[in-house]
Amino acid sequence: GAVVSQHPSWVICKSGTSVKIECRSLDFQATTMFWYRQFPKQSLMLMATSNEGSKATYEQGVEKDKFLINHASLTLSTLTVTSAHPEDSSFYICSASWGAREQYFGPGTRLTVT
Amino acid sequence: AQTVTQSQPEMSVQEAETVTLSCTYDTSESDYYLFWYKQPPSRQMILVIRQEAYKQQNATENRFSVNFQKAAKSFSLKISDSQLGDAAMYFCAYRSASQKYGNKLVFGAGTILRVKS
């Protein structure tokens, strides 16, 4: 099956610093990648959709200057949380798909901002 | 806009018994896909089962089956012979078949399933 990885799985950073999370499709070329945020015991909230070589499309209410998304290749998308604050602490999940196929999810990244 | 509703925040089932998780959705489209995802404590999202709206036959994957009622916009998941490993949060999700929505998934709020031994 299609495999998606995320790195790191857990990151702790100090308030005011930036942190980058990578999402890779390991055995397929992902034309589209999605980034979600999830709080404990809640559903996934879509933050943005990125297509390879294009600017990401952000969902309403998501600050694009704070959550920078880059989809530079067909196998890699990155999410950079800039000037992180404790309220940005959350679980971030990426998924990838190609064509009209379903999304394949990464294992997630836990971000803790101290 | 499409919406997905899961009205059961938590459910419990005895090991080896059967449990049904409910899901309703709202859409004006006729062509779409419905999914059930499982999120265990590891938080890895796992696709449990998928249903194409144009198919009348209910999807089945081993112990997991769905009851898809298109007119009622209902999509419930039945887990038979429940096992301890089935304990997880379950999400119902909708995806339009139209490319204008770009394969986006609309998730329900989720149902926490507890399995008692």
Side-chain angles (χ1 to χ4, degrees):
Chain A
V3 180
V4 176
S5 70
Q6 276 185 248
H7 178 78
S9 57
W10 191 4
V11 58
I12 302 173
C13 70
K14 290 184 187 285
S15 187
T17 62
S18 296
V19 61
K20 182 185 286 188
I21 301 168
E22 291 186 349
C23 176
R24 293 183 185 272
S25 55
L26 298 185
D27 51 3
F28 66 98
Q29 293 187 321
T31 51
T32 307
M33 287 186 169
F34 303 84
W35 286 95
Y36 297 87
R37 184 174 182 177
Q38 186 183 31
F39 292 105
K41 295 190 179 180
Q42 292 189 23
S43 190
L44 281 68
M45 182 192 80
L46 180 64
M47 299 174 67
T49 303
S50 73
N51 293 298
E52 186 264 339
S54 304
K55 285 187 179 179
T57 302
Y58 290 81
E59 295 299 301
Q60 195 170 6
V62 177
E63 300 174 62
K64 58 178 143 183
D65 293 333
K66 179 163 193 61
F67 299 100
L68 300 179
I69 291 170
N70 183 278
H71 191 165
S73 78
L74 284 171
T75 59
L76 174 64
S77 176
T78 59
L79 166 67
T80 301
V81 183
T82 62
S83 186
H85 291 286
E87 57 266 30
D88 298 323
S89 298
S90 190
F91 193 68
Y92 293 88
I93 303 173
C94 76
S95 70
S97 70
W98 77 96
R101 296 187 66 86
E102 55 247 51
Q103 296 180 29
Y104 295 90
F105 287 85
T109 296
R110 184 192 299 181
L111 170 63
T112 302
V113 184
T114 60
Chain B
Q2 301 95 359
T3 59
V4 176
T5 302
Q6 294 179 249
S7 58
Q8 306 154 315
E10 292 191 27
M11 293 281 286
S12 288
V13 62
Q14 199 70 33
E15 202 176 0
E17 298 197 340
T18 296
V19 65
T20 298
L21 307 185
S22 301
C23 172
T24 59
Y25 58 96
D26 190 27
T27 184
S28 59
E29 299 181 320
S30 59
D31 196 12
Y32 50 86
Y33 304 91
L34 295 164
F35 305 87
W36 278 98
Y37 284 93
K38 170 185 177 181
Q39 189 180 41
S42 68
R43 301 188 82 170
Q44 170 74 60
M45 293 286 284
I46 300 166
L47 177 63
V48 175
I49 202 162
R50 161 192 169 129
Q51 175 80 44
E52 290 90 343
Y54 65 85
K55 289 187 179 178
Q56 292 188 339
Q57 188 172 6
N58 290 322
T60 300
E61 287 287 340
N62 301 312
R63 298 182 294 108
F64 299 87
S65 61
V66 297
N67 183 1
F68 172 48
Q69 301 289 329
K70 191 172 184 179
K73 296 180 184 173
S74 170
F75 183 61
S76 62
L77 175 70
K78 185 171 86 171
I79 306 174
S80 304
D81 186 25
S82 296
Q83 300 175 359
L84 294 177
D86 295 333
M89 192 150 185
Y90 286 81
F91 293 100
C92 179
Y94 170 103
R95 196 192 96 197
S96 170
S98 170
Q99 279 304 295
K100 73 176 180 179
Y101 295 107
N103 289 355
K104 280 186 189 179
L105 288 168
V106 178
F107 284 97
T111 297
I112 296 172
L113 178 65
R114 305 189 194 282
V115 181
K116 295 184 267 190
S117 59

